[in-house]
Amino acid sequence: MNEAGTLLILGGASETQGYDCIMQAKKRGLRVWVTDTQEHLENMPQIVNLADHVEALDYTKPKECVLWAKQQEENFVCVFGFREYSTISVAEVSSALDLPGNKPEAVKLIRNKYKTRKFLKEKGFYQPEIALCNNWTEATQFVQQRNKACIVKPVSAMGSLGVTMIQNQSDWEIAKKNLSDFHEQFIVEEFVSGKEFSVEGIFFQEEPCVLAVTEKSIVGNGVFVESGHMMPADLSDDLNLKIHQTVKDVLKSIGLTWGIFHVEVWLDQTDVIVGEIHIRPGGDYIHRMVELVTDIELYGSIYDQVLNRKVNLEAFLIKRGATISYLFPPKGIIKNIKNVEDVKSDKCCELVKVNRKPGDIIGSIQSSYDRSGFVLVKDVDNLHAKKRAERLVQCIEFEIVEI
Amino acid sequence: MNKPYILYVNLRRIVKEGYESLLAAKQLGYDVILMTNKKVPEFAKEMVSHVVEVDTYNHDESVCAALELSHQYQIIGVTCWTEIDVELVAKISTALKLPGLSAEAALRCRNKYEMRKALQSVPEVLPLYKRVTSLEELKLALMDIGYPSIIKPTGASGSKGIFKLECAEDTKIAFMELQRIAQPDYDPVFRQFGPEFIVEEYVEGPEFSVEGFVSNGKVHVVAVIDKLTTDPYHLEYRHITPPHMDDIKVKILTENTIKVVDTLGLNHCAFHLEAKLSPNGFKLIEIAARPAGGYLSSHLVPLSTGIDFFKQVVKVSLGEELMIDSQKNLYSGIRFILAEKEGEFKGLKDFESILTDANIEHLFLEQSIGSQIELPPKHFGKQVVAAVVAKGLTYEEVEHALERAAEQCVLIIENKQSVGSLS
């Protein structure tokens, strides 16, 4: 038997986080079992090859995961997941195996946007007015009563999927279309007109510890898809600390105590308003940005705690800046994509992904899945990184044929 | 003979701090014997039971005096309040078999070079450094350490003689100044180690102090205080506690403080550690085995935490277990008012609004009316003319109150020029 024990990753077959999540475990002498859907496993042979054991298991189904985990005769010491839809399963399996983790009730709460807002409001945190709607009549009544812009969105989706801003009558048709794939109740809430940030951190000795605040840019004009992230955010010390404290207070009040968190906040003048709360690393390579701006191994810092090993707190300090900028070519058919290799060779460029190819059709931007790729840059500080990322994005040339 | 006494070796120069230190013993029900090489201040005359006048720079003579006292009085503890007396108190506690710092640990805290040598087993806490005694040695050391760097006397305290070296041209000027300053006739603090210096790499990042105690081997961190210093002479001019920092940075400071205190072997004493938090982590500036001056332990810590720091100093000197529990959750701060020119100090004007400011707790005069104001590098202790202490519910509230007071208060310094303002 392996001395350190085995890490169980629920939903681990992912290109963006799977590799680091596994390698940081192996570095610490952990065996790694990866479970994921059959489809994901088939699409990620490199992850399958890295794992000590692989099993097809639907990470979105907590009961199935618990049943399966209890049947295994393996020395699991930690259950981990970085996918939004795996978080409840991770909490349930950890609880069933009596391993470190969050209480399932706390994770279930944050998976429901409506219940989370209600809970936070009851705890005294400022939250925008919100309604859980069963039909469009309820939604329109909510908006009419307020006479201000509102947001319609699904109860538990992610990646800006199904989100619509309602400013006038014609927006309702767009909202209906955007929500057509979600067969559930939906949320209507007041639009918060602040700048958006996310807060990245880990739990250290069961206390939330903020590592960095990320400044978000969005496409705009009613489209909430993120167009770039800068880390650390360009904030005064006062506001930075205010954001840290609010997020820590919120996480404590919910009862989360373990793992990695990613919390969305708005800054309205000097008021910090907490949005969605996730008990997983930020997507969009934010997890990588955290590691670039600090010296932390994000997943490793969690494993170290599980293994009762010393965590080097000085690695948590921000040492440099990073920016991710997304590619948004104009609408049309891609004829050619140029200069990608030149951008990759830039000394500060960490990663370039272009997920389009000649012949692909570029349409309008509805969700984060409509972005055509990104450039991830690290530099001496945040503003240098941002400037460089913007320049490198401009270097990537899409030849487009208009339709 | 049955009545227990505590032996104080000297008092702090600042009246309010000296008074608070005596009050602490009295409130705990102990009588104080004062061993001093200075004239006993008026406020202290009624507060001490017995005074022994002795040259406290002469350790042998002072230890003998302490032994003689111990035949007449039941001395249950010995403590000091200033840097210069740390080693003597260690020697007295050993001679009288009282709880106290060991002589070796005391030397490690008194001499910055010995301190760094003793910390070689935890090199991550130290900036790159070298000991130098001549200009030639300094030039050689700078070839390794580079610029910017800091040079300071190994045995000084209170920001005396700290020079930042930005380039080769600064080296000779700074060294000449240091040779002038680091002499006993300039300041008695230099009697022991003389013109011996540490040159070390300049560490970027904010500076903090950590205040606490070691009692029976257990380290108690009581407060972290931030610090602003003047450029280029590093005189401290503003402190606020708790500092504007997130919990993880406090944890880093606390963890490293414990590491430094344990490695140096401190016990039965208060400590005042100064460090910088650079992006690469904690770097020690220095540590003293005594309470901080500048009203930090006497006023700021109690205002912010509710902990009477000086009472704990007394308790720790008795070998008592400390039960420290912070009850207040306030911010407190101090702003020193610095003169911008030399001359005769005639007083303050326009300070009425400071006294009626809800956040302001105290306005102290640091120089007597009629005294001569001198600026560094001529003198390092005569630029601070007044001090304002504030408290509040938030860091910003305290910061604004202190800066407001500093703007409002005008120093009247008469020279050949007219009235001077301050910053």
Side-chain angles (χ1 to χ4, degrees), chain A residues 64-101:
Chain A
E64 282 182 24
C65 291
V66 168
L67 197 64
W68 173 86
K70 283 177 126 177
Q71 288 167 350
Q72 309 309 308
E73 290 182 1
E74 182 69 10
N75 177 28
F76 291 126
V77 292
C78 179
V79 186
F80 193 81
F82 44 75
R83 295 180 191 270
E84 178 66 17
Y85 296 116
S86 74
T87 53
I88 295 176
S89 297
V90 168
E92 292 280 15
V93 174
S94 302
S95 174
L97 300 183
D98 203 18
L99 294 173

Side-chain angles (χ1 to χ4, degrees), chain B residues 8 17 29 105 122 144 150 168 177 245 287 306 313 322 329 355-356 367 373 376 387:
Chain B
Y8 278 20
E17 290 181 317
V122 285
D144 287 339
I150 293 283
E177 271 301 321
M245 62 160 59
I287 182 169
V313 174
L322 296 188
N329 197 14
L355 298 175
T356 53
Q367 305 290 341
I373 302 299

Side-chain angles (χ1 to χ4, degrees), chain B residues 47-99:
Chain B
M47 296 181 84
V48 297
S49 302
H50 186 72
V51 177
V52 186
E53 287 183 15
V54 59
D55 177 9
T56 50
Y57 290 105
N58 184 332
H59 288 187
D60 292 342
E61 194 183 309
S62 302
V63 171
C64 282
L67 278 166
E68 267 179 41
L69 280 172
S70 71
H71 298 311
Q72 301 168 52
Y73 300 96
Q74 190 200 351
I75 297 174
I76 57 168
V78 54
T79 194
C80 67
W81 308 89
T82 62
E83 183 65 17
I84 198 74
D85 299 314
V86 168
E87 279 193 278
L88 173 58
V89 163
K91 287 175 184 171
I92 293 175
S93 65
T94 305
L96 270 58
K97 296 187 172 55
L98 296 172

Side-chain angles (χ1 to χ4, degrees), chain B residues 147-165:
Chain B
Y147 297 97
S149 54
I150 293 283
I151 184 165
K152 53 191 171 187
T154 56
S157 66
S159 307
K160 292 180 189 111
I162 303 174
F163 289 83
K164 187 176 178 185
L165 309 176

Side-chain angles (χ1 to χ4, degrees), chain B residues 2-127:
Chain B
N2 289 332
K3 195 175 175 188
Y5 289 88
I6 297 181
L7 177 62
Y8 278 20
V9 177
N10 288 312
L11 295 172
R12 286 198 65 82
R13 181 187 57 82
I14 295 170
V15 170
K16 288 283 181 185
E17 290 181 317
Y19 178 74
E20 291 294 332
S21 68
L22 288 169
L23 209 54
K26 286 283 181 194
Q27 284 181 297
L28 288 169
Y30 299 113
D31 284 335
V32 174
I33 299 172
L34 178 64
M35 176 183 280
T36 184
N37 60 359
K38 297 182 187 78
K39 193 178 158 212
V40 180
E42 280 305 314
F43 72 86
K45 284 180 179 165
E46 293 297 313
M47 296 181 84
V48 297
S49 302
H50 186 72
V51 177
V52 186
E53 287 183 15
V54 59
D55 177 9
T56 50
Y57 290 105
N58 184 332
H59 288 187
D60 292 342
E61 194 183 309
S62 302
V63 171
C64 282
L67 278 166
E68 267 179 41
L69 280 172
S70 71
H71 298 311
Q72 301 168 52
Y73 300 96
Q74 190 200 351
I75 297 174
I76 57 168
V78 54
T79 194
C80 67
W81 308 89
T82 62
E83 183 65 17
I84 198 74
D85 299 314
V86 168
E87 279 193 278
L88 173 58
V89 163
K91 287 175 184 171
I92 293 175
S93 65
T94 305
L96 270 58
K97 296 187 172 55
L98 296 172
L101 198 59
S102 70
E104 297 79 17
L107 175 66
R108 287 178 212 130
C109 292
R110 271 290 292 130
N111 183 294
K112 294 174 178 60
Y113 177 61
E114 295 297 331
M115 185 187 299
R116 280 155 182 74
K117 268 204 312 186
L119 290 168
Q120 284 309 311
S121 59
V122 285
E124 66 277 9
V125 305
L126 292 174

Side-chain angles (χ1 to χ4, degrees), chain A residues 164-324:
Chain A
T164 313
M165 185 169 181
I166 306 292
Q167 286 177 297
N168 52 52
Q169 203 57 34
S170 61
D171 293 330
W172 285 108
E173 286 311 309
I174 303 166
K176 285 173 188 172
K177 196 177 150 204
N178 286 346
L179 278 181
S180 59
D181 289 340
F182 297 91
H183 306 289
E184 56 178 7
Q185 292 172 304
F186 59 94
I187 288 169
V188 187
E189 66 182 12
E190 288 174 349
F191 174 67
V192 181
S193 60
K195 189 158 174 53
E196 201 177 338
F197 300 85
S198 67
V199 181
E200 329 304 334
I202 63 162
F203 285 91
F204 177 66
Q205 295 170 346
E206 301 200 345
E207 291 284 319
C209 165
V210 174
L211 295 168
V213 179
T214 315
E215 188 166 333
K216 314 233 160 196
S217 310
I218 56 167
V219 171
N221 294 325
V223 179
F224 296 98
V225 176
E226 287 153 357
S227 58
H229 311 300
M230 178 174 71
M231 187 186 293
D234 192 21
L235 288 166
S236 68
D237 285 351
D238 289 358
L239 286 175
N240 206 29
L241 278 175
K242 195 168 181 182
I243 290 175
H244 285 210
Q245 198 53 55
T246 307
V247 166
K248 285 193 274 195
D249 291 345
V250 160
L251 292 169
K252 282 182 188 174
S253 76
I254 289 169
L256 293 165
T257 56
W258 191 87
I260 299 170
F261 62 82
H262 166 71
V263 178
E264 292 170 5
V265 301
W266 293 278
L267 195 55
D268 193 3
Q269 303 294 326
T270 57
D271 291 330
V272 180
I273 304 155
V274 171
E276 293 176 17
I277 299 161
H278 305 281
I279 190 70
R280 58 160 174 84
D284 279 358
Y285 282 89
I286 283 175
H287 67 286
R288 178 70 65 79
M289 292 172 75
V290 173
E291 294 190 334
L292 289 175
V293 303
T294 63
D295 282 340
I296 198 172
E297 287 195 330
L298 198 52
Y299 314 96
S301 63
I302 302 300
Y303 308 150
D304 283 338
Q305 292 183 67
V306 170
L307 297 169
N308 284 322
R309 289 183 189 166
K310 182 160 173 54
V311 176
N312 175 19
L313 294 181
E314 271 148 305
F316 291 18
L317 299 173
I318 288 179
K319 295 170 176 69
R320 49 196 87 84
T323 289
I324 191 163

Side-chain angles (χ1 to χ4, degrees), chain B residues 240-242 303-304 328-333 358-361 389-399 401-402:
Chain B
I240 298 178
T241 183
L303 274 174
S304 165
K328 280 193 201 171
N329 197 14
L330 286 180
Y331 289 79
S332 64
N359 292 110
I360 300 295
E361 284 282 305
V389 174
K391 70 175 182 186
L393 287 168
T394 64
Y395 184 96
E396 294 76 22
E397 197 180 326
V398 171
E399 184 182 33
L402 294 174

